[in-house]
Amino acid sequence: MRWPEILRLRLRTLTSRRQVEDELDEELRYHFDREMDENLAAGMSRAEARWAALRSVGGLEQRKEECRDMRGLNLIDNTLQDAHFALRQLRKTLGFTFTAILLLALGMGASVAIFAFVDATLIKPLPYKDSTRLVGVFETVPMFPRSNLSYADYLDWKKMNKVFQSLDAYDQRGFILSTAAGVEPVRAARVTDGFFRTLGVSPVLGRDFFSGEDLPSAHRAVLLSYGAWQKRYSGKPEVVGQVVTLDGEPSTIIGVLPREFHFAPAEPAEFWSTLHPAGGCDLRRSCHSLYGVARLKAGVSMQAALADVKVIAKQLEAQYPDSNRDQGATLASLAEVITGDIRPILLVLLGGSGLLLLIAGVNAANLLLVRAESRRREMAVRSALGASKGRLIRQFVTEGLVLVAAGSALGLVVSWWTMQLLTRLVPENLLLRMPFLMGLSLNPRVLAFAGEIAVLALILFTVTPAFHLSLGQTREGLADGSRGSAGTAWRRLGSKLVVLELATAVVLLVGAGLLGKSLYSLLRVDIGFRPEHLVTLQVAAPKAAYDKDEQAIVLQRELVRRIEAIPGVTSVGVTTSLPVSGNGNTTWFRVIGRPWHGEHNEVPERDVSAGYFTALGANLIRGRFFTEAEDGSKPSVAIINQALVRKYFPNEDPIGQHLTYLSEPPKPIEIVGIVDDIKEGPLEVATVPALYIPFNQSASRYFGLVVRTAQSEQQLLPAMTSAIREFDPGIVTAQGATMTTRINDSPSAYLHRSSAWLVGGFALLALLLGVVGLYGVVAYSVSQRTREIGLRMALGAQPGAVYRLILKEAGWLTAIGVIVGLVCSTGAATLIRGLLFGVKTWDLATLASVGLVLGVASMLASFIPARRAASVNPVEALRAE
């Protein structure tokens, strides 16, 4: 019979059971009557014919059972009976039921939530065609392992390479968008004309950039992100062909990108403009401002491509020694470029949630063993009455299914809630740079992962009691009678499981302790200035009005004057790059009067106003600060930090010495001051040598304001914005924040903080579950040894001796668990050493603290059953036994 017909009959059996039973009766009655008729025709009496027919048929009820078995009716009946019985049993032990469901939900919720982040970041395919062939292309210099490309180098790499099907470039930048309501800053990206074709992405509306549309002579064209199309143009298709003004230049909207498109290295971007290299940095080979993305030719490996680009870098170094000296090349998969530093954090969190799931599973196994022990007599009686081993196991399977179904449903709810909570905890500026997290959901891959956990839980919930109640044990249980066994075997197994729980908890606690200590060290790094009562604000002035240095200087002076007039403001400074932003914007220099052979002494350059260091609260080590009079008409001067002194002027006095950029003829720059090391780059990166130039000698229409106030920082930001708009409504401001917020929300601080908090949360839950597990083992042991304890006390044992007996047992379990855990945690810490800052993997203070906390918590948890044991009445205990 074909499966569809079999399935139809099975369904009919379920939906029309009474009719099926009537048909079965009618059919068997028909065969019985035919047999009767044949027997009567053979000359038998009616009674003889009936008995002969019954013998021939073999009994009507037996035949009915056989037919029901063939149709699956008995299986369904038995399953329903098992399900009803399982529900009754679980209702009778609500404490066990809720605890088991809660444990499964807790372990599954944490694991599934973290896996959802791992899936969105590391597993989900990138939204590009054949994304495994996409690579990020970088230059390398001693200071930056992955450096930007210069536009000239990009053109040469594109022309000379033999391994890329296509190579394009991009950079992230902001534009000033002019609208009827005024101007506003918008996030954008500049790309070369083939950028989207390299990615394999086509607009959902309009067209892609034409070849040559990124040249300076071409008309400016932009593509909209899907979000910008919906937000700014209400999703109207008529947007294609409209003209927008970006940075004072008219640009035509030529299309809209797909909803699912994102490109994290350039996000968040509303407008995707063509590159249009037209001056300044774009046309200097020594100025690196672009990133490359390439599609490998079919059959070309990463190693072959890397070898090819290294050869090109060597050729360019030989051809352009002034600009390309010590400049190499490197590649990375685009997936690695996009995920950045998140990958190790997510893997650590996934490991932490996995350990938490392990502890929850061990705790559940302990509960199941206790319950199985208490049901030994029940199982023994059922076995003695004829229940097969398979039927008993099926009962466990049914109960496990009920528990796993409830636990899994609750676990998915917990995971969804956890995902939403974790997403909201990500600072908005960081979340915008991680667009792959926007679609976080319980997608099929995440649900499949949850299903695998549920299957493992079902196996655990089924195998544990079934294994414990082996056939031999059930007979033993029947013989033990109502007194019950001491459960020595279970106590041994349960003790081992508790040791495993405690050891796992130690690993998580040590990991959380090390990460927490790293965060503490990170946030207390000497940043070289006073961040409290400091407000920062980015300013971008229109090119048409402030493109010349003189105009930018006037703008800076006027804004400083107006902001200084705001009540509560004590000092104002200006810089082209705010602290803790990065070590980019570098320059090359050499010391005049020293031999020089073309080497590149690369340092970050910051163009700062006369009041910058005062506003920042930086320490002047020697010399002086800049003065407002030091502009382009005066001799060039510079201030250096101590890191530059240590590297380039060891055992020398740099004050009064002269530097120069790598220009011909050299232009002397006198060193007039030395300041303490200001943290320009990430918190965890050592401060590098830095060069500070007067803003009035290197002005820009893009700069950051640093304002120190004696009042609330938050109240100052609106006043600053208003003062700037009153001066010129065409100036845009953005990224206003207190310096403390900038530091706390910096990527390095956030990644360390989030990993410390999450692993710390897992560790606290693990500590709680481990201690509860120990309590359960000790409490059960006490309950099973009541008669022994009563006998000891009847023979003269004092309560103190009983306390010592119970606490000694718990102490041994704790000690073994802590020792094993400390050994394992030392090994595990080496796996996360890349996430640690200012702390060793074997930090003795952390290891000792964890051992002490777990020891104290375990003893407190064991004290309750010990106290119960010490209060046993010997007479009542012996009488009850």
Side-chain angles (χ1 to χ4, degrees), residues 67 114 152 208 259 305 370 416 436 587 655 726 734 806 842 866 869:
C67 292
I114 298 300
D208 196 352
R259 181 200 299 265
V370 171
W416 172 258
F436 40 81
T587 188
I655 301 296
E726 285 176 4
I806 302 303
W842 46 270

Side-chain angles (χ1 to χ4, degrees), residues 246-576:
L246 299 172
D247 274 356
E249 299 283 351
S251 301
T252 302
I253 299 174
I254 62 170
V256 178
L257 293 167
R259 181 200 299 265
E260 65 277 7
F261 170 77
H262 63 73
F263 190 74
E267 299 283 1
E270 293 185 271
F271 294 85
W272 296 78
S273 168
T274 44
L275 194 59
H276 289 282
C281 182
D282 288 342
L283 300 183
R284 281 190 288 126
R285 187 177 288 275
S286 60
C287 190
H288 300 246
S289 61
L290 302 175
Y291 291 98
V293 59
R295 178 173 290 277
L296 296 174
K297 287 181 179 177
V300 174
S301 66
M302 180 74 88
Q303 291 74 18
L306 181 59
D308 185 71
V309 295
K310 284 184 174 179
V311 170
I312 296 174
K314 285 290 182 186
Q315 293 175 349
L316 293 179
E317 184 179 10
Q319 189 173 355
Y320 306 104
D322 291 342
S323 60
N324 289 51
R325 182 186 177 110
D326 298 328
Q327 198 164 282
T330 190
L331 302 175
S333 69
L334 187 59
E336 182 184 342
V337 174
I338 286 178
T339 55
D341 299 331
I342 303 175
R343 180 187 180 88
I345 298 285
L346 287 177
L347 294 181
V348 166
L349 295 180
L350 188 62
S353 64
L355 290 178
L356 182 62
L357 179 63
L358 173 64
I359 292 180
V362 171
N363 243 335
N366 253 334
L367 282 175
L368 292 165
L369 287 172
V370 171
R371 188 164 181 265
E373 185 68 23
S374 66
R375 297 178 68 187
R376 292 179 66 211
R377 180 170 175 76
E378 172 200 338
M379 293 296 124
V381 170
R382 292 183 64 179
S383 179
L385 292 177
S388 66
K389 189 176 180 180
R391 182 63 190 273
L392 294 179
I393 292 176
R394 200 163 63 204
Q395 180 63 44
F396 290 132
V397 173
T398 307
E399 292 180 8
L401 273 173
V402 174
L403 290 172
V404 170
S408 299
L410 184 58
L412 289 177
V413 173
V414 172
S415 64
W416 172 258
W417 180 82
T418 306
M419 288 160 52
Q420 302 304 312
L421 176 65
L422 295 179
T423 305
R424 290 193 181 98
L425 291 179
V426 180
E428 185 179 357
N429 60 328
L430 291 181
L431 190 60
L432 290 173
R433 298 173 188 172
M434 297 185 286
F436 40 81
L437 294 183
M438 297 298 183
L440 204 66
S441 65
L442 293 174
N443 60 41
R445 285 184 300 277
V446 178
L447 290 176
F449 179 76
E452 292 172 3
I453 293 177
V455 170
L456 291 176
L458 179 60
I459 294 173
L460 175 69
F461 282 33
T462 302
V463 171
T464 302
F467 175 75
H468 183 67
L469 294 174
S470 63
L471 182 61
Q473 288 175 317
T474 56
R475 288 174 178 169
E476 181 187 342
L478 187 60
D480 285 339
S482 59
R483 179 195 297 176
S485 169
T488 304
W490 174 82
R491 284 170 54 197
R492 289 177 179 170
L493 179 59
S495 300
K496 291 175 183 174
L497 292 176
V498 164
V499 169
L500 176 61
E501 273 187 279
L502 295 177
T504 308
V506 169
V507 173
L508 280 172
L509 284 169
V510 170
L514 294 176
L515 290 171
K517 206 165 183 178
S518 296
L519 176 64
Y520 181 85
S521 302
L522 190 74
L523 294 180
R524 278 152 184 79
V525 165
D526 183 8
I527 55 178
F529 61 91
R530 293 181 285 113
E532 62 279 5
H533 298 293
L534 209 56
V535 178
T536 64
L537 184 68
Q538 291 285 355
V539 174
K543 181 178 179 180
Y546 303 100
D547 195 38
K548 297 180 180 177
D549 288 352
E550 300 79 18
Q551 295 170 323
I553 292 171
V554 170
L555 168 67
Q556 175 262 142
R557 287 173 174 168
E558 182 62 24
L559 293 189
V560 168
R561 186 186 68 78
R562 287 174 176 260
I563 293 174
E564 282 179 336
I566 298 174
V569 172
T570 58
S571 55
V572 181
V574 168
T575 176
T576 49

Side-chain angles (χ1 to χ4, degrees), residues 171-187:
D171 75 343
Q172 183 187 34
R173 66 174 302 173
F175 285 130
I176 298 176
L177 173 66
S178 301
T179 66
V183 295
E184 61 176 299
V186 292
R187 301 174 188 272

